[in-house]
Amino acid sequence: MEKQTYTKVVIDGKVYNLAGQEEEAYLQRLASHINHTIAGLKEQGGWQKQTTEIRNLQIYLQLADAYLKQKDEADQALEQLRELETQTYDLKHRLISGQMQLEQLQNLQTEAESMTGKLGQAEERVTFLQTQNADLRAQIQLLTENNQALEGKNKALAERYTQLKSRMKNV
């Protein structure tokens, strides 16, 4: 159970003893607010001519009006807060999504760099194989030329053999 606070306050020139669970400063603040409300009503004129019941009703209406306006402002602020929370959530979601996309792009970049390295190696291998291919073609050309020369010599030898064989028959 909370401790009761007792304090004397002045409202519309009269001293009242108040008790409550709030601190004394808060109770004084309440009394000050009521005094301010009463002072505002007195400035409107005709206050002194009203009955106590009507005066009290005007005070109640003023306090209720101020309360409802503050409540409406608080409700609007709460709605704005909810909207901001929703926007913040959406932004966080978009940020996380963007971070995931960035990671994917970084992974793709790393993969592309790796593939570029492999492509460079493949291009070097192709260049090496093209050089080897050119060397082999040159060797094939030389072998073809040598083969043609040998075939020519072979024909010449075959003719010579045929001639020699014919001569041997004639001898």
Side-chain angles (χ1 to χ4, degrees):
M1 184 170 180
E2 292 189 33
K3 178 181 161 190
Q4 286 280 7
T5 302
Y6 299 93
T7 188
K8 290 183 180 185
V9 297
V10 177
I11 297 176
D12 195 26
K14 295 180 186 174
V15 177
Y16 295 94
N17 287 318
L18 294 183
Q21 295 177 345
E22 291 82 7
E23 294 182 13
E24 181 179 345
Y26 181 75
L27 296 174
Q28 290 292 340
R29 198 168 139 213
L30 286 175
S32 175
H33 182 69
I34 292 172
N35 279 324
H36 179 71
T37 302
I38 293 171
L41 289 170
K42 284 181 178 180
E43 287 178 6
Q44 291 179 2
W47 174 260
Q48 298 301 329
K49 296 178 185 177
Q50 303 294 328
T51 65
T52 302
E53 186 179 344
I54 296 296
R55 286 182 200 170
N56 286 339
L57 181 61
Q58 286 179 326
I59 292 170
Y60 301 151
L61 288 172
Q62 284 287 324
L63 293 173
D65 180 54
Y67 168 77
L68 290 175
K69 286 179 180 175
Q70 289 294 317
K71 186 177 180 313
D72 288 346
E73 286 181 22
D75 289 345
Q76 287 176 354
L78 185 60
E79 182 60 31
Q80 287 176 347
L81 177 63
R82 287 184 183 135
E83 287 175 11
L84 289 174
E85 286 174 344
T86 300
Q87 290 174 358
T88 300
Y89 175 80
D90 290 344
L91 288 173
K92 285 180 181 178
H93 179 71
R94 288 172 57 192
L95 176 64
I96 290 170
S97 178
Q99 287 173 336
M100 289 172 53
Q101 288 177 350
L102 178 61
E103 285 179 22
Q104 288 175 345
L105 288 174
Q106 287 171 339
N107 290 340
L108 287 173
Q109 181 181 7
T110 301
E111 189 177 328
E113 288 169 356
S114 172
M115 296 299 257
T116 300
K118 289 178 182 178
L119 179 61
Q121 292 172 348
E123 287 173 345
E124 289 175 7
R125 180 79 175 143
V126 165
T127 302
F128 172 75
L129 290 174
Q130 286 174 338
T131 303
Q132 271 189 330
N133 189 20
D135 290 346
L136 289 173
R137 286 183 187 270
Q139 288 178 4
I140 289 172
Q141 182 64 33
L142 283 174
L143 289 173
T144 301
E145 290 171 2
N146 285 343
N147 189 32
Q148 288 173 350
L150 288 174
E151 283 178 359
K153 286 182 182 179
N154 192 22
K155 277 186 187 179
L157 284 174
E159 285 178 18
R160 176 90 173 136
Y161 174 73
T162 306
Q163 288 173 358
L164 287 174
K165 194 175 180 186
S166 274
R167 265 195 210 169
M168 291 256 300
K169 281 184 186 185
N170 290 338
V171 175

